[in-house]
Amino acid sequence: MFSLSLAIPMLFTMLIHAADSLSYALRLGGLRTRRIALAISLAGILLLVSRTSNMAQGPMVGNLVDTATRGTNPHFAAQLHWLMGAATIGTALAILCFPTMVKLSSRMVVHFEAAGSIPAMVRGMLKRSKIRNATYYITPPSWKMAKRLVQHGMPRRLMLLNVAVTAIYTTGVLSSLYAAYLYPGQAVAASQSTGLINGIATILLTILIDPRISLLSDKSLRGEIRLDRMNQIYGCMLVSRLFGTLLAQLLLIPFAYWIGWIVSMM
């Protein structure tokens, strides 16, 4: 069941979710330095890692579908659950690295402003002295940080929405591939039906989550919200992403049958 053909896409899945989760650290670093636009620009680097990994992952996961369709892979469903487990691991690693990444992001934003471009910034940060100084910013998570997440009220509605969006995104592609396996007569239609699931997540993210985070960030820059509150909000969003990857485990098969039902009626 567990093989190299599964381990490699699991690695890419971990990278995708770790990079997406750590984009919160860049935004928070931008707030701390009051350079949010520069921070969002730097977040493109993490998005590049995520999208490149996603492109590389696709054919590998598709190969799992092919072997399952030929009857040589009886553990296909379990392998998809392993892939979602890798998403949870990647998010958990991002949580462990979050305090360090926030501090590094604050410095990266300042270096980016001084360098004027990302290539010049990267060249400067690859100097031996800069690499040696980077160890100063290593900050492991602490129990004190965890207690701060529940102080002064958690953004429960925002967290629940983020759990739902993350769960849908995590299982969207995998459910469509599993539907292609369950309904071989409509395999192509099912495998191309990811949008039936991910479209819901995109609407929720675009209308309800991103505007709210942007509004809170602007209020923080204007001094209407304390930075400690934004630390808490971004921390809660990161934790909710972790729970979203866990919820995705329960949605894989129901979403697959839902996609199969829709494509069978077309």
Side-chain angles (χ1 to χ4, degrees):
M1 181 176 68
F2 191 85
S3 62
L4 184 63
S5 61
L6 176 62
I8 295 177
M10 283 181 63
L11 177 62
F12 281 113
T13 302
M14 289 172 56
L15 287 173
I16 291 167
H17 284 265
D20 286 345
S21 300
L22 287 175
S23 64
Y24 289 143
L26 277 167
R27 295 184 186 182
L28 187 54
L31 283 177
R32 288 188 173 186
T33 57
R34 305 186 68 82
R35 296 170 175 85
I36 188 65
L38 292 176
I40 292 175
S41 178
L42 281 177
I45 298 176
L46 287 178
L47 291 177
L48 179 63
V49 173
S50 174
R51 289 167 183 170
T52 303
S53 299
N54 199 25
M55 287 188 295
Q57 178 204 42
M60 298 176 187
V61 178
N63 183 57
L64 296 177
V65 181
D66 292 337
T67 56
T69 304
R70 292 194 298 266
T72 57
N73 184 8
H75 306 292
F76 180 51
Q79 289 177 333
L80 295 181
H81 283 292
W82 274 92
L83 286 171
M84 286 188 287
T88 302
I89 294 172
T91 306
L93 290 175
I95 292 175
L96 294 177
C97 297
F98 191 72
T100 300
M101 191 63 182
V102 170
K103 290 187 175 181
L104 286 174
S105 298
S106 299
R107 296 307 306 159
M108 286 174 62
V109 170
V110 173
H111 286 309
F112 181 33
E113 185 179 38
S117 68
I118 289 179
M121 181 196 71
V122 172
R123 286 197 302 270
M125 295 184 69
L126 288 178
K127 293 179 180 179
R128 185 177 302 177
S129 59
K130 298 291 185 181
I131 296 175
R132 186 167 54 247
N133 291 337
T135 58
Y136 170 77
Y137 299 100
I138 296 177
T139 306
S142 64
W143 180 245
K144 184 178 180 180
M145 294 177 184
K147 288 196 296 185
R148 288 175 183 168
L149 294 179
V150 297
Q151 293 176 346
H152 310 298
M154 302 172 71
R156 291 183 178 85
R157 181 172 176 270
L158 203 57
M159 290 179 68
L160 288 174
L161 286 170
N162 202 40
V163 168
V165 167
T166 303
I168 293 171
Y169 270 133
T170 302
T171 194
V173 174
L174 300 180
S175 289
S176 65
L177 293 176
Y178 192 56
Y181 165 72
L182 292 174
Y183 300 87
Q186 292 87 26
V188 176
S191 64
Q192 298 298 316
S193 300
T194 306
L196 294 176
I197 295 177
N198 285 356
I200 300 173
T202 301
I203 292 171
L204 291 175
L205 182 67
T206 304
I207 296 178
L208 300 177
I209 297 180
D210 275 353
R212 181 61 178 169
I213 294 294
S214 298
L215 176 62
L216 293 172
S217 298
D218 283 344
K219 286 186 176 182
S220 178
L221 289 174
R222 293 196 300 268
E224 299 175 16
I225 296 178
R226 293 181 58 186
L227 186 58
D228 288 346
R229 177 60 174 169
M230 292 306 300
N231 291 341
Q232 180 198 29
I233 289 174
Y234 276 110
C236 289
M237 294 297 286
L238 195 57
V239 171
S240 64
R241 279 185 65 93
L242 180 67
F243 282 103
T245 61
L246 295 173
L247 177 61
Q249 298 278 1
L250 302 177
L251 299 180
L252 172 67
I253 295 178
F255 278 178
Y257 279 105
W258 180 61
I259 289 175
W261 174 71
I262 291 177
V263 298
S264 64
M265 295 180 64
M266 291 180 177

